[in-house]
Amino acid sequence: MAKESVKRRRGDRYDASFIPGPHDITGIMPFLMRGRNESVAYIPIDINAEPLLAYVAKSKGTDKEVTMFQAVMLAFTKTLRDRPSLNRYIIGRRMYQRRNVVFSFIARRQMTDEASETNVLVSIKPTDDRATIIAKLKGEIKVAKSDEQKQDDKVIAAFMHLPRWMLRIAVGVLSLWDFFVDTPGFLRGVDPLRCSIYVANLGSVGLNAAPFHHLYEWGTCSMFVVIGKLGPQVVVGEDGQPAVRQILPLRVTFDERIADGFYDARALEVVETYLADPSLLDD
């Protein structure tokens, strides 16, 4: 298969286009707040999941069958397409706009304490439609849950054979190359921490709490989304009276340097809109 041709400008990276910094507070932020974890913002979202549950149930047995996890991923994909500033990252004190929406998440090969885990990396192109996105998610999860050793597992295993002093030097050299040049070739499309959003579906393992998660300094991930456990909660109903609804908690952590707070808040409102009316995910 031929590689997709992407016209790159000076300063671009393999997966993103360079955005020249404005001569204001936004442009100097990466120098004042140099790490992601000193630049994090946290926003909780509690979704009334009853429309989403109905949407998932209606899709069963059809060619548009979708799980709740897949629906949430669709909602974030469409949001990052609608609000592209949320699909940016900072590295080398510079800001970049991703070309694709890229998700990372953990897949457990079996639901046992002894089972191993592996990362799933899914890259969604601007031209990918709903069916293609779902097929990519299913395909990558199937590969992850097989006994086949994935490329990221092979890379980690190779590095872990190095003595500690050599591993420390290797990571330092790679970090410098990443800072000044670009992502090393053997990590492209392999390193799960080079993504738009890292997702932890903690509800799928029965964890009642939905905690916020930190960001990673390694890589280029600017957002972390934790999906909590679906369950009944008392809320204020449409008539102003207490009502019980099925609530899906989402906890979003993001690098506030990539966009201002107003933009971020409006973007997460878009996520809520898609999940409140999941029929919009079919467009």
Side-chain angles (χ1 to χ4, degrees), residues 86-104:
L86 217 58
N87 197 19
R88 293 177 174 179
Y89 65 81
I90 289 173
I91 196 167
R93 311 285 186 265
R94 292 178 173 178
M95 185 178 294
Y96 296 88
Q97 178 70 54
R98 289 187 182 278
R99 301 186 186 95
N100 298 330
V101 175
V102 184
F103 289 105
S104 282

Side-chain angles (χ1 to χ4, degrees), residues 2-223:
K3 288 187 177 180
E4 184 179 4
S5 176
V6 177
K7 187 176 181 180
R8 291 177 57 177
R9 304 168 301 170
R10 182 179 177 84
D12 287 354
R13 291 172 66 91
Y14 83 100
D15 62 345
S17 301
F18 171 57
I19 302 174
H23 298 284
D24 57 17
I25 189 66
T26 304
I28 202 172
M29 274 297 180
F31 294 88
L32 300 179
M33 299 190 299
R34 294 179 293 174
R36 292 189 185 94
N37 283 299
E38 62 177 311
S39 312
V40 293
Y42 304 97
I43 296 184
I45 309 175
D46 290 322
I47 303 294
N48 177 4
E50 295 189 352
L52 188 56
L53 287 168
Y55 175 77
V56 170
K58 185 178 178 181
S59 74
K60 285 186 177 179
T62 72
D63 57 356
K64 289 188 174 183
E65 186 167 349
V66 65
T67 65
M68 186 169 294
F69 175 72
Q70 292 164 358
V72 172
M73 301 289 265
L74 283 171
F76 273 99
T77 299
K78 292 179 76 67
T79 297
L80 265 61
R81 287 174 173 176
D82 294 342
R83 309 286 287 177
S85 291
L86 217 58
N87 197 19
R88 293 177 174 179
Y89 65 81
I90 289 173
I91 196 167
R93 311 285 186 265
R94 292 178 173 178
M95 185 178 294
Y96 296 88
Q97 178 70 54
R98 289 187 182 278
R99 301 186 186 95
N100 298 330
V101 175
V102 184
F103 289 105
S104 282
F105 52 92
I106 292 288
R108 198 170 188 85
R109 290 190 166 97
Q110 294 179 0
M111 298 305 289
T112 65
D113 290 344
E114 297 77 20
S116 60
E117 293 181 335
T118 187
N119 278 285
V120 179
L121 188 66
V122 183
S123 182
I124 299 168
K125 299 177 182 178
T127 54
D128 288 346
D129 59 13
R130 181 188 186 279
T132 303
I133 295 169
I134 297 298
K136 283 186 173 183
L137 287 169
K138 289 180 177 179
E140 293 296 336
I141 291 173
K142 183 177 180 180
V143 170
K145 289 191 173 185
S146 70
D147 293 330
E148 177 184 348
Q149 188 180 36
K150 295 166 47 263
Q151 188 60 33
D152 59 320
D153 296 325
K154 293 178 182 178
V155 170
I156 292 172
F159 273 93
M160 292 308 296
H161 280 95
L162 298 175
R164 285 182 300 169
W165 66 269
M166 192 177 294
L167 178 57
R168 184 176 178 181
I169 291 173
V171 171
V173 170
L174 291 173
S175 296
L176 286 172
W177 186 268
D178 213 9
F179 187 100
F180 290 107
V181 185
D182 202 344
T183 300
F186 70 94
L187 292 177
R188 299 178 184 184
V190 174
D191 186 350
L193 297 184
R194 299 175 191 279
C195 60
S196 308
I197 305 177
Y198 202 109
V199 182
N201 188 11
L202 298 186
S204 66
V205 296
L207 187 65
N208 288 321
F212 288 101
H213 200 284
H214 63 85
L215 296 176
Y216 298 98
E217 299 300 342
W218 175 269
T220 57
C221 180
S222 297
M223 289 182 65

